Amino acid sequence: MKDQLVEIVKGALEEISAAKTLEDIEGVRVRHTGKKSPLSVLIKSMKERTPEEKKELGPALNDARTEIHGRLEERLQEIEEAFDGAAEWVDVTAPGKKGPSGHLHPLTIVQRDIEDIFTSMGFEIADGPEVETEYYNFDAVNVPDNHPARDMQDTFWIETKSDEDRHVLRTHTSNVQVRAMQEKSDQGIKPPFRIIVPGRVFRQEATDASHEHTFHQFEALVVGEDVSVANFLHIAESFFSQFFGQDMKVRVRPSYFPFVEPGFEFDISCTICGGDGCSSCQQTGWIEVGGAGMVHQNVLEAGGYEKGVYTGFAWGFGLERLAMMKYRIDDIRHFHGGDVRFTRQF
Amino acid sequence: MLYSYKWLQELSQTKKSPKEVADLLIAHSFEVEDITEQGEGLDDVVIGHVIAKEKHPDADKLNVVSVDVGEERLQIVCGAPNISEGQRVPVALVGAVLPGNFEIKQAKIRGVESVGMICAEDELGLGTDHDGIMILGEDAPVGEKIIDYLGLDDTVLDIDVLPNRAHDALSHRGMAREIAMLEERVLTFDETMPADDAGIAVEVETPACSRYSATSITGVEVGPSPLWLVQRLKSLGHGSYNNVVDITNYIMLETGQPLHAFSADFVPKVIVRKATDREQMTLIDKTEVSLSKEDIVITDGEKPIALAGVMGGKGSAITDATVDIVLEAASFSARAIRATKSRHGLMTDAAYRFERDLDPNLTEQAAARAKEMIQELAGGKVVGVTDTYPQEQKISPWSIALEHASVERLLGIEIDTSHVRKILEGLNINVKQKNDVYLCHIPTYRRDLGNAEDLIEEIGRIYGYQNIHARPLVENVQVPQYNAQRFFERSTKDNFAKAGFDEVRSYSFYSDEDTRKAGVEQLEHVILAGGGDDASLRNMRRTLAVGLLHSAGRNQAYDEQTAIFETGRLYQPQKESGLPQEMLMLGIAVTSKKKDADQFYRLKGALETYLTSHGVRDVLFAPIAEMEEVGDDAPHLFHPSRRAKITLQDGMVIGMIGEVSKKAAKAFGIKNARTAYAQIDLDRVRKEARQDMTYESLQKYPSVMRDISIKVDAQTLVADVERSIYAAGSDLLVDVDLFDLYTNTKTAERSVAFHLIFQSNTSTLTTDQIDPLMAKIIQRITSDGWDVKGE
């Protein structure tokens, strides 16, 4: 009896060790632990044995069954965890499978950077119409009809059927200055406030690598009780330093824009040479960026604030110009050219 | 305006170099656009005398000339048609490097040795004339450097004077005054020209002429100007006509006051009046103008002899025969001159100055300077001066009160009162200080200084903006208002970029042709950008399709498949007056050479994912019927049986989607590819976007899935079948999910297959619960006229 049991166990363990696949293991399991397996037959036959025999054989049978089950389980794990290095080799240098990925337009990226920086400085983002009345584009910002200042911007006028209010494609985002202030003053909101206006503007001029009839401007307006030129310098330096990720200096030079007094052009230290002078900045160390100034009292008055009470500064510059500086783009026409090879670089 | 450095130096006594003067002006006053050294590249150009001329043996159009250049004779091959013996001409010697980096080398031209070059004006950078070589005066000294002979030792500064400073700085005197001021000297110009009884009669009938002075000069010898005058005018962009006319231009450049000289024979008296409607006159440049009653004319009592402030008339012009002249120094209304200039398209130097509002007090110094110069250069004698300057037109210095505190407040600096006074007095402003208030008397040539801020600007720029240091704002920060539209647009862009679409931007306008291509009709409502004759700038866009399809066509060359989007405004004209409505739209397009309707479904899928993730649920896509008007013209762009309007439950249309018709695709240059296009109104979507989600407890009981396959007729809508299934499926049917769609191209029958998902939140569903539901669904499908497969 005992010898028979030893044979059964030995045979089973040999087959288990020889099993290579999950199917092999399953076959072994059926043959050696199934209802008709020699072990099961032997266990069944126990009923007919004497109590002495049962006492003697019982534990041995149990041990045999435990050993076979244990080995089966062990072998099963071995097989499941086994792998063939050569067959399953993967070329880790082959390119990965890419998911869909589209690209944002560089102007979108630059505009977001600007919006985020200014928002973090407590500015709100305002919008206004692109087709604008003559009043908000010109008169409200102190550019009266029949004034030579109107010649400073080549304007697209809208064809009208009658002598109704004349409309223009806004020549600057400054049209939103008075709109935004009126909205506030109508609700009884007093300065201080800080506003930015990014948006599309139009000038009727011939296009070439550095001129476009359609471009984007970015306007900032700060009004309060004691806002000064020195404050403008601070906000401008803070912004440009953040935007370019390096310490930037801002320089202002006298200029004239009817909506500000004093008015100036402002330059930033050259982003290429840091101000030492190089070919990008024509050896001056400075790059011309935009126009700025202290908001004209006539403009504040048009916005609903009594003259002489508040002061403020306004500034504006071209988004395209900033994007061109940041990404070294050499032709402004790419921005509205609709070529995806351009967009995909960003 | 162009300024002569030498002239500015004479007037201002500056010791600075041209570059230093420019730097000073840039820092404190004006933009200096350009600095040009006159004689640059002309060091080795000398005056030559043409001794002999022979035909080139081998070339019809060339001559071989012998030129005496002083120390030697040179043989030069010359192609100019106007060369002849005896002429004095500019000769560039071998080794000279002319403007434009053009080096002169010894060369053989068609076999004949040529040593040097005889130059045309443009080759010397002295003008644009290239019709022939430049011929110099007969007395030009042979061998002398052209630089010395022409007085080209000057530097020209191109200084950008903006409208605020045009009153005082569009002249050499004004600019010299500015330079001297920055060097802390005060320059004043105060020549007078007292009137007498001997001048001609002048009547001013319109207040648009604030001052009119007429100086009668007799015995003038009209002739060519001296070379220095010709050259100075030329270097500043003015031609030379005769000594009298040249003097008027010179005085304008010196003082800023335009002058006009009439031939006295034609000017018995002067009446300044408004023109009458359609009154005709011939200008000095022979143009005929038909005047309007808004124009101001100078008349001889009857007919116009000059269009005031803009241009003289032909009949009364100075000629070689003129002996007696009347010299006008006058002042006119800026608005009137600007209107006249624009109306007749006459951009003259005089009009440019008058429309910038000149100081009427300027006429006297200009007239006095002109008198001096005419006497000196043309030998005339003043016999009478008339000056009409009515009391009510007189401009005298005005006062502005300036508080010291406001200077410090606006500039953000601390500055001594003595420093402020010094700056103001440097501007020739008379200052009386009372405590901390300056009472300022402004000289009349500074018409731009009208209020305290104007004076603070002067203080700021002269103090030096470089001396103002950045200071943080100390104002309270208000919580900024959130710009919902802007951030929704941002999120929309992110969505499509992540989904594989590239962002493009296109212009806000397009041509009539594009309008037709895109099938956008109702042209009468389109707003036109006036002025330009560029057809592509004509119509304000009413669809984003034009830009996107142009882009799709362009990108086909590089791309198997293009997926692009744009967000931007459309302009919807109002029926009545008022600004157009500007609508923020999203346009998306997919073009691919893959056949069939894949593009439509790709686009639809992208749109559905976007809408769902932005909290817009229950959006319907409904086919657009043949003649249906849906409030937008885009359907004309689409394939008639592959287009849908996108609506909300309440029927509000939020957009369109469809496959672009073959005709339209071809028109936009898209070949052998299918293109799908969709456009939605972002403001409408944003207003529908629900971000107010609430948590639902997680399902404890498993769902059960059953499949159903249904045979339907051609053009039966999946949406209709789904609706039937839901209607029969009770609350336990939680989802119906299409997983197969097949069209038998022979029979046009379609088979659609769905996963039906059943779930209860109170128990695990059993077959006994689901079987009756399936039976009801099958019954409903059958009664709707469709066949359930396997039943």
Side-chain angles (χ1 to χ4, degrees), chain A residues 31-312:
Chain A
R31 275 196 302 282
H32 292 281
T33 64
K35 284 177 184 167
K36 289 171 185 167
S37 65
L39 188 66
S40 297
V41 171
L42 206 60
I43 291 169
K44 256 185 210 156
S45 72
M46 286 296 287
K47 289 181 205 157
E48 291 139 32
R49 308 270 173 183
T50 63
E52 289 75 27
E53 281 176 322
K54 282 182 185 167
K55 200 176 176 183
E56 191 193 337
L57 274 174
L61 275 171
N62 259 339
D63 289 350
R65 193 169 60 185
T66 308
E67 186 172 9
I68 292 170
H69 275 286
R71 270 300 291 151
L72 263 173
E73 213 42 54
E74 247 176 63
R75 184 65 191 145
L76 181 68
Q77 273 196 28
E78 280 167 20
I79 291 172
E80 277 177 348
E81 288 168 11
F83 65 93
D84 180 342
E88 299 194 359
W89 181 78
V90 154
D91 181 354
V92 297
T93 68
K97 283 201 175 148
K98 293 180 182 74
S101 84
H103 297 255
L104 292 173
H105 194 277
L107 285 180
T108 298
I109 299 169
V110 166
Q111 184 174 324
R112 284 184 183 187
D113 285 354
I114 294 172
E115 288 176 355
D116 291 347
I117 295 168
F118 275 97
T119 308
S120 76
M121 296 195 286
F123 283 72
E124 66 185 63
I125 305 169
D127 282 304
E130 291 170 5
V131 179
E132 183 56 288
T133 60
E134 183 178 18
Y135 173 76
Y136 282 110
N137 195 74
F138 289 126
D139 303 77
V141 290
N142 202 34
V143 189
D145 193 12
N146 246 324
H147 191 277
R150 287 236 175 153
D151 298 344
M152 290 167 73
Q153 300 170 345
D154 298 310
T155 309
F156 281 111
W157 291 88
I158 295 293
E159 220 170 72
T160 46
K161 288 172 195 150
S162 60
D163 280 342
E164 57 188 290
D165 274 354
R166 296 201 293 170
H167 296 163
V168 301
L169 299 188
R170 66 173 174 192
T171 54
H172 45 207
T173 42
S174 306
N175 68 321
V176 186
Q177 282 190 17
V178 168
R179 281 185 177 274
M181 284 195 279
Q182 281 180 348
E183 203 177 300
K184 291 193 183 298
S185 60
D186 284 352
Q187 298 171 48
I189 301 172
K190 288 180 183 157
F193 47 75
R194 309 173 179 191
I195 299 170
I196 54 167
V197 189
R200 179 175 280 211
V201 302
F202 309 86
R203 300 273 173 93
Q204 192 156 318
E205 55 180 53
T207 53
D208 62 28
S210 48
H211 296 91
E212 252 284 20
H213 53 60
T214 299
F215 58 101
H216 293 76
Q217 256 190 1
F218 169 80
E219 183 105 356
L221 175 70
V222 173
V223 181
E225 279 176 6
D226 275 311
V227 177
S228 68
V229 175
N231 297 148
F232 160 74
L233 290 170
H234 186 263
I235 291 280
E237 283 179 359
S238 307
F239 166 72
F240 285 108
S241 299
Q242 280 262 343
F243 183 82
F244 286 106
Q246 52 182 285
D247 260 358
M248 301 289 291
K249 289 265 162 287
V250 170
R251 170 177 92 164
V252 307
R253 291 174 287 109
S255 187
Y256 166 71
F257 304 98
F259 23 96
V260 287
E261 185 75 22
F264 26 82
E265 296 267 357
F266 66 96
D267 305 334
I268 55 174
S269 46
C270 178
T271 51
I272 311 279
C273 64
D276 297 336
C278 67
S279 61
S280 291
C281 57
Q282 274 122 36
Q283 309 303 329
T284 61
W286 295 99
I287 293 182
E288 198 176 319
V289 178
M294 305 309 295
V295 182
H296 201 287
Q297 291 297 327
N298 290 353
V299 177
L300 289 170
E301 191 181 39
Y305 299 109
E306 197 190 328
K307 274 188 183 178
V309 179
Y310 300 106
T311 60

Side-chain angles (χ1 to χ4, degrees), chain A residues 100-105 107-108 111-112 115-116 119 121-133 145-152 156-159 161 164 167 169-170 179 183-184 187 192-194 198-200 202 204 207 212-214 216 222-231 233-235 237 251-256 261-265 288 294 296-297 308-313 333 335-341 343-344, chain B residues 25-31 162-164 334-335 338-339 341 355-356 408-413 451 453-457 461 465-466 468-483 485-487 489-491 493-494 496-509 524-525 527-532 534 536-538 540-541 551-552 554-555 558-559 561-566 569 571 576-580 582 602:
Chain A
S101 84
H103 297 255
L104 292 173
H105 194 277
L107 285 180
T108 298
Q111 184 174 324
R112 284 184 183 187
E115 288 176 355
D116 291 347
T119 308
M121 296 195 286
F123 283 72
E124 66 185 63
I125 305 169
D127 282 304
E130 291 170 5
V131 179
E132 183 56 288
T133 60
D145 193 12
N146 246 324
H147 191 277
R150 287 236 175 153
D151 298 344
M152 290 167 73
F156 281 111
W157 291 88
I158 295 293
E159 220 170 72
K161 288 172 195 150
E164 57 188 290
H167 296 163
L169 299 188
R170 66 173 174 192
R179 281 185 177 274
E183 203 177 300
K184 291 193 183 298
Q187 298 171 48
F193 47 75
R194 309 173 179 191
R200 179 175 280 211
F202 309 86
Q204 192 156 318
T207 53
E212 252 284 20
H213 53 60
T214 299
H216 293 76
V222 173
V223 181
E225 279 176 6
D226 275 311
V227 177
S228 68
V229 175
N231 297 148
L233 290 170
H234 186 263
I235 291 280
E237 283 179 359
R251 170 177 92 164
V252 307
R253 291 174 287 109
S255 187
Y256 166 71
E261 185 75 22
F264 26 82
E265 296 267 357
E288 198 176 319
M294 305 309 295
H296 201 287
Q297 291 297 327
V309 179
Y310 300 106
T311 60
F313 66 74
R333 288 169 295 195
F335 290 106
H336 291 86
D339 192 323
V340 291
R341 293 175 303 170
T343 301
R344 284 181 189 158
Chain B
L25 290 172
I26 289 169
H28 297 282
S29 312
F30 303 107
E31 185 77 20
L162 295 172
N164 61 328
R335 291 178 70 90
R338 184 171 161 81
K341 175 200 98 164
E355 70 169 337
R356 280 162 173 71
E408 297 193 327
R409 175 194 185 203
L410 198 62
L411 297 177
I413 55 172
N451 57 41
E453 286 77 27
D454 295 331
L455 290 174
I456 295 172
E457 172 168 58
R461 69 183 182 90
Y465 289 132
Q466 72 277 12
I468 300 182
H469 302 293
R471 280 187 192 178
L473 276 167
V474 292
E475 302 284 344
N476 294 330
V477 178
Q478 309 277 317
V479 176
Q481 226 166 43
Y482 179 74
N483 188 326
Q485 189 195 48
R486 182 76 65 168
F487 285 96
E489 183 184 8
R490 192 186 264 219
S491 157
K493 287 182 179 194
D494 282 340
F496 284 96
K498 277 179 197 142
F501 292 78
D502 290 314
E503 186 187 4
V504 295
R505 295 203 179 195
S506 44
Y507 295 132
S508 297
F509 19 55
E524 74 273 22
H525 291 321
I527 291 175
L528 303 171
D534 184 339
S536 66
L537 308 180
R538 187 153 174 78
M540 296 305 293
R541 69 182 173 190
S551 175
R554 197 165 309 146
N555 288 305
Y558 332 111
D559 252 344
Q561 171 170 299
T562 304
I564 46 179
F565 76 97
E566 175 170 13
R569 298 192 193 175
Y571 312 86
E576 307 296 320
S577 61
L579 289 173
E582 295 184 15
R602 163 145 193 225

Side-chain angles (χ1 to χ4, degrees), chain B residues 159-172:
Chain B
I159 304 174
D160 195 11
V161 175
L162 295 172
N164 61 328
R165 295 296 304 277
H167 323 281
D168 75 296
L170 273 178
S171 67
H172 282 76

Side-chain angles (χ1 to χ4, degrees), chain B residues 662-729:
Chain B
K662 284 183 181 168
K663 185 180 160 206
K666 198 175 146 209
F668 284 105
I670 302 168
K671 288 175 209 122
N672 303 320
R674 300 267 190 175
T675 300
Y677 174 73
Q679 181 171 298
I680 59 170
D681 185 324
L682 285 184
D683 286 328
R684 287 184 184 172
V685 171
R686 176 168 55 86
K687 280 170 194 145
E688 202 55 33
R690 294 282 165 266
Q691 302 302 338
D692 49 352
M693 297 127 178
T694 46
Y695 161 80
E696 281 172 19
S697 57
L698 303 179
Q699 289 296 344
K700 281 185 213 146
Y701 304 99
S703 62
V704 176
M705 184 171 86
R706 294 286 179 89
D707 288 353
I708 187 168
S709 178
I710 304 164
K711 211 160 73 182
V712 298
D713 297 332
Q715 299 194 13
T716 297
L717 300 177
V718 167
D720 290 341
V721 180
E722 278 179 357
R723 210 170 292 128
S724 287
I725 296 174
Y726 271 119

